[in-house]
Amino acid sequence: MTSSLQTVPVGVLFSTSGPYAALGREGLAGAMLAIAEINADDQYGLKLAAQVRDPRGSTEQYAAMAADIVGTTGARHILGCTTSWSRKEVIPVLEKSATMLWYSCPYEGFEAHDQVIYLGACPNQHILPLLAFALPRFGTNGYLVGSNYIWGWETNRIARDIIEAAGGPVAGERYVPLGDVDIGRIIEEIRTKRPAFVVNTLIGPSSYAFLAAYHALGQADQTFSQDVRPVLSCNFAESEVAQLGAVAAGQYAISPYFQSLATPENRRFLDTAKQFAPDAVHISAFFAQAYAAVHLLAAGLAGAGTDATDAVREATKFVSMTAPFGPIEIDDATNHAVLTPRIARAVVGGFDIVSDMETAIRPDPYLAYSPVAVASDPAAPSPRVSHLRVIK
Amino acid sequence: MSQFKTTPKFDGQCALILHRPHPVVDAITRQLTQLGVRYQTHWPELPADLDAAAFNHLFYDADMGHDGQFPWAPGKAPMLSIALIGSEAPGRLAWAIRLGADAHLLKPIGSGGIFAALVIASQAFESRAAQAAELSDLRERLAGRQVLAEATACLMMLDNISADAAYERLRRTAMTERKSIEAMALQIVEQLRSGHVRTDRA
């Protein structure tokens, strides 16, 4: 434990190569931006010493590297992990060493660990509102495609649940091994089944290959353009849209943060980014939420006056802070963030926000309370909205 | 990928926790709250006048537990039961099984496990209840087979008809009287035994 809080070591554990490198690099950049900003001024009365490790997308590396951070640097807080596999690998290390993980990515839910703070969206904050938006607009027979691991399986299971409750049917459901780009069979099946929309839970190169092939299908046959049968995603980043160009344009994504969010707090954040990380041109939720996680950690450290995890976790729940995506609150029962989902449409170079519910949704990681169905009246408000403090 | 077509939900249900005050209980109640499950904790025993119908789940301590803590006989819990196991000594496990564990959790309990235990125990409890109902139905039918044969034989002799015709008459009478064929057979046999013979000659 650090008795004086002048400089606090914090682990930073993101993969900058491997199948989800694009998202890992964003998380790393967002965390490092916040650390640079915090160290440059005195807003929390402390400095953070980043202890960076890169597991390079290898699940087996995460536990060893987390243990190395804890054992060699004395850090009691680690920022990082992108996939749920990597988070599950790190959790036993956290438990043995009284360490806290600040996890900033959207994930499939069904977890609420005492030693993890979840900044990213869980299913009642991503796939549920995304389908509530899509089903009344495009129809109910969706096609589900995902990477062959828990994120794809579980997000698509929930999507299937909703689609079937709405009368369905699910037009098809296919999985692709992580990193695999052989998706010809899937495109052929979509061409035959003609679904109303496609839920895409693929990640990295598989996702890019799919979008390219689907775009080609849309070029060959206008009835498969994204205007008619759009692709929906819960985890697509601005940098990926920029990289893919026209191929990604037209798809819908849901996220608490988009770079195009026109709020004063986002303008301030983007100015800060320009100042401390001029190379970061495309800024996504993976970036902004890692950035917010570091600020929340710093505020928690300052509030607790120690880096002991229990004290910091409790202090975090009393922090009044505005993140780039709005006021931030950590739900006491689940350690998950209260978040406001926005839905945006990809254009060349970024996202246009098409629906901002402007209503914060309380996290429900086990879908204990959230109706897993689309309301017959899509304008009806969610019954589990938050009552956030207004922070000026 | 899964046999669950819909997401398992426990919101609004109620659990009993039979364990002495302990961090294990705190870990369980924290997770139950996340799932929307209300709870009552008891120790050293469940109240004799417990309204069992008001509860859906029982978490019971397998380390210090004994038969006398429950207002029901071992194996007869009217709700799904989850054993909380610290000691893996075979004697304790035997008792936990005899009590009717539908699932178990190993102590210490951390930040997870309750949802999985409830989902697995619900399936086990439901399939156990369905099997018990099916077994009791089959036993009843088995017991009815003898009386069915006896009633058919009686009708054959009484009316001098074939076995098929006697069975058909029995079946039609049961339908007319809105009874199961076994119940009708029993009634006919009992009437014959008491001398009041009445069959449908129509």
Side-chain angles (χ1 to χ4, degrees):
Chain A
M1 187 189 298
T2 309
S3 53
S4 104
L5 277 181
Q6 286 169 350
T7 300
V8 182
V10 295
V12 181
L13 188 62
F14 287 104
S15 286
T16 60
S17 54
Y20 49 91
L23 308 181
R25 280 197 289 264
E26 294 239 8
L28 175 67
M32 296 311 284
L33 163 62
I35 291 171
E37 182 193 5
I38 288 163
N39 288 347
D41 66 26
D42 199 33
Q43 60 174 312
Y44 300 109
L46 54 84
K47 292 194 189 309
L48 301 175
Q51 307 293 333
V52 181
R53 301 289 186 280
D54 183 356
R56 297 172 185 274
S58 160
T59 307
E60 292 69 31
Q61 290 295 314
Y62 278 85
M65 288 191 169
D68 179 55
I69 289 170
V70 170
T72 62
T73 74
R76 288 289 164 266
H77 298 272
I78 297 175
L79 298 135
C81 296
T82 300
T83 61
S84 285
W85 266 355
S86 61
R87 190 185 64 257
K88 297 275 188 199
E89 287 290 315
V90 165
I91 282 174
V93 178
L94 307 177
E95 288 173 342
K96 273 185 215 152
S97 59
T99 304
M100 185 82 91
L101 175 70
W102 300 72
Y103 180 65
S104 51
C105 299
Y107 84 116
E108 69 285 347
F110 296 91
E111 183 183 298
H113 199 284
D114 270 354
Q115 286 168 246
V116 182
I117 300 282
Y118 304 81
L119 268 292
C122 59
N124 76 307
Q125 297 164 323
H126 57 66
I127 189 71
L128 259 56
L130 180 60
L131 290 182
F133 170 87
L135 262 55
R137 284 170 178 79
F138 309 119
T140 54
N141 65 326
Y143 188 95
L144 312 175
V145 57
S147 288
N148 201 19
Y149 82 113
I150 186 72
W151 161 255
W153 299 335
E154 191 60 24
T155 307
N156 285 345
R157 187 195 63 77
I158 297 165
R160 172 179 283 276
D161 207 346
I162 296 168
I163 288 169
E164 289 181 349
V170 172
E173 181 173 358
R174 295 283 169 197
Y175 294 93
V176 178
L178 271 177
D180 198 337
V181 294
D182 181 14
I183 38 74
R185 203 164 57 96
I186 290 171
I187 294 293
E188 186 49 34
E189 188 175 47
I190 289 173
R191 201 181 62 78
T192 315
K193 298 278 180 70
R194 306 179 77 78
F197 58 86
V198 180
V199 174
N200 174 19
T201 53
L202 293 163
I203 62 169
S206 311
S207 187
Y208 312 151
F210 168 76
L211 287 167
Y214 190 65
H215 179 71
L217 175 64
Q219 297 267 290
D221 178 347
Q222 278 296 307
T223 64
F224 287 96
S225 84
Q226 293 247 13
D227 290 330
V228 183
R229 302 173 204 281
V231 175
L232 314 177
S233 168
C234 301
N235 60 332
F236 214 79
E238 274 80 348
S239 57
E240 298 176 299
V241 174
Q243 179 195 327
L244 296 186
V247 159
Q251 68 169 320
Y252 289 88
I254 188 163
S255 174
Y257 178 84
F258 288 103
Q259 191 170 4
S260 52
L261 204 55
T263 58
E265 56 265 26
N266 188 34
R267 276 193 288 275
R268 274 200 304 277
F269 163 63
L270 292 174
D271 286 346
T272 306
K274 206 173 283 175
Q275 185 188 340
F276 288 91
D279 295 340
V281 180
H282 305 291
I283 292 179
S284 71
F286 293 90
F287 186 114
Q289 287 181 293
Y291 169 88
V294 177
H295 272 279
L296 194 61
L297 164 60
L301 288 166
T306 165
D307 68 350
T309 48
D310 287 354
V312 172
R313 182 184 53 237
E314 290 319 301
T316 301
K317 289 169 183 168
F318 295 98
V319 167
S320 280
M321 215 185 82
T322 304
F325 39 88
I328 198 160
E329 178 193 337
I330 299 299
D331 175 54
D332 185 44
T334 61
N335 281 1
H336 284 60
V338 179
L339 295 169
T340 303
R342 277 100 185 187
I343 294 166
R345 195 149 191 226
V347 292
V348 175
F351 279 109
D352 278 349
I353 294 173
V354 293
S355 169
D356 186 340
M357 285 148 237
E358 292 180 348
T359 315
I361 296 182
R362 298 207 71 84
D364 181 13
Y366 287 94
L367 292 177
Y369 316 97
S370 310
V372 183
V374 172
S376 51
D377 174 10
S382 158
R384 292 278 300 175
V385 299
S386 174
H387 303 286
L388 279 175
R389 292 158 290 181
V390 176
I391 297 158
K392 299 283 179 196
Chain B
M1 301 307 298
S2 144
Q3 64 174 308
F4 298 115
K5 288 198 75 171
T6 57
T7 304
K9 283 191 186 292
F10 304 97
D11 184 26
Q13 298 190 355
C14 202
L16 283 168
I17 304 169
L18 184 59
H19 195 288
R20 68 191 191 283
H22 190 274
V24 157
V25 176
D26 303 336
I28 295 171
T29 57
R30 179 168 164 80
Q31 292 182 54
L32 288 176
T33 304
Q34 292 164 354
L35 301 176
V37 177
R38 289 170 293 122
Y39 54 85
Q40 266 183 22
T41 56
H42 293 279
W43 191 259
E45 59 200 25
L46 294 174
D49 60 348
L50 179 84
D51 177 14
F55 297 92
N56 309 90
H57 326 292
L58 168 70
F59 293 85
Y60 65 98
D61 181 21
D63 293 337
M64 297 170 70
H66 58 89
D67 292 356
Q69 292 178 299
F70 305 88
W72 50 72
K76 300 289 181 200
M79 64 194 75
L80 69 84
S81 305
I82 297 170
L84 306 171
I85 294 173
S87 165
E88 296 183 82
R92 288 284 78 201
L93 297 180
W95 180 80
I97 292 165
R98 198 162 63 88
L99 241 284
D102 295 299
H104 75 275
L105 286 160
L106 270 187
K107 302 184 203 173
I109 295 173
S111 291
I114 301 291
F115 181 72
L118 282 177
V119 171
I120 289 169
S122 301
Q123 294 277 315
F125 183 72
E126 274 171 32
S127 97
R128 198 152 57 94
Q131 280 172 7
E134 194 180 352
L135 199 62
S136 132
D137 182 48
L138 289 173
R139 280 197 177 123
E140 210 170 283
R141 285 208 210 166
L142 197 62
R145 273 179 65 179
Q146 195 182 341
V147 74
L148 207 61
E150 197 178 338
T152 311
C154 289
L155 292 179
M156 282 170 70
M157 291 204 302
L158 216 59
D159 300 336
N160 195 24
I161 53 176
S162 73
D164 284 349
Y167 183 82
E168 181 54 24
R169 177 165 299 165
L170 181 59
R171 197 186 62 80
R172 273 195 290 114
T173 315
M175 267 175 66
T176 314
E177 304 228 347
R178 294 175 185 279
K179 287 185 169 135
S180 74
I181 194 162
E182 291 84 1
M184 194 67 239
L186 185 64
Q187 186 183 320
I188 288 172
V189 169
E190 280 174 353
Q191 282 171 347
L192 281 167
R193 280 178 188 153
S194 61
H196 302 290
V197 183
R198 188 198 72 79
T199 66
D200 180 6
R201 286 172 184 274

